[in-house]
């Protein structure tokens, strides 16, 4: 299931990052409740799929091979985003704080992307130094899973994002 558009798993993840960044930019320029709702949903779906790919396939491939703290922080950052994703999906642009939630989600994702893509010491730089992981084979597994998740979204929707590291407590 090779896709030559993405040379390897990291290229696939970076392409996802650029796509979501573009969607956030588009959201900032969007007016009208229906258009905002549709765009926010696209952002949330893209992020749910991306986090599932990383958590199910990419991160486990590097556990014990790069700094554990780097991976642990990534899971916690994902969970912070998942809380907002679920709240945004459950709400509507007419709700108080809706635009603020999308803005904060954008800021959280910008931070997370920086942590992954930082030259020299970022997660992806660490991963590139690990020779025993085949990034092309990882790409192929991720693309296959991405197709499954996209088909699930089209067939009826993805379930709410599920935090893995953060235990949500009632206030």
């Amino acid at each position: 299931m090779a896709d030559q558009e993405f040379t390897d798993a990291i290229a696939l993840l970076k392409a996802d990052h650029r796509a979501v960044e573009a969607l956030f930019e588009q959201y900032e320029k969007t007016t009208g409740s229906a258009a905002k709702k549709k765009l926010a949903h696209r952002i949330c779906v893209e992020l749910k799929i991306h986090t599932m790919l990383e958590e199910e396939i990419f991160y486990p491939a590097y556990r014990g091979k790069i700094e554990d703290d780097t991976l642990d922080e990534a899971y916690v950052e994902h969970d912070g985003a998942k809380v907002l994703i679920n709240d945004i999906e459950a709400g509507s642009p007419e709700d108080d704080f809706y635009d603020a939630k999308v803005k904060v989600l954008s800021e959280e994702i910008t931070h997370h992307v920086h942590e992954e893509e930082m030259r020299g010491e970022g997660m992806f730089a660490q991963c590139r130094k690990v020779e025993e992981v085949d990034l092309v084979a990882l790409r192929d597994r991720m693309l296959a899973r991405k197709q499954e998740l996209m088909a699930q979204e089209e067939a009826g929707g993805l379930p709410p994002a599920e935090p893995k590291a953060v235990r949500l407590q009632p206030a």
Side-chain angles (χ1 to χ4, degrees), residues 65-150:
K65 296 173 180 68
I66 67 170
E67 296 174 13
D68 279 342
D69 287 352
T70 300
L71 289 169
D72 292 347
E73 288 173 22
Y75 279 102
V76 173
E77 288 171 354
H78 278 188
D79 283 1
K82 289 174 185 178
V83 170
L84 283 171
I85 288 165
N86 290 339
D87 204 37
I88 290 165
E89 288 279 84
S92 74
E94 294 83 21
D95 295 344
D96 290 342
F97 307 111
Y98 189 86
D99 285 338
K101 291 172 188 176
V102 174
K103 177 68 173 172
V104 171
L105 178 61
S106 172
E107 292 168 351
E108 286 184 5
I109 297 305
T110 298
H111 170 81
H112 179 72
V113 165
H114 174 74
E115 294 282 313
E116 287 186 338
E117 295 186 9
M118 190 174 17
R119 289 186 180 266
E121 60 193 58
M123 179 189 293
F124 293 165
Q126 290 181 46
C127 292
R128 287 230 180 263
K129 295 174 186 170
V130 176
E131 293 181 12
E132 63 263 27
V133 176
D134 182 343
L135 282 166
V136 174
L138 215 54
R139 171 205 64 195
D140 294 345
R141 287 180 51 212
M142 291 167 58
L143 281 169
R145 181 64 173 137
K146 187 172 187 173
Q147 283 189 334
E148 290 173 11
L149 293 169
M150 288 168 54

Side-chain angles (χ1 to χ4, degrees), residues 17 29-30 57 126 150:
H17 291 168
K29 299 172 187 169
T30 300
I57 300 169
Q126 290 181 46
M150 288 168 54

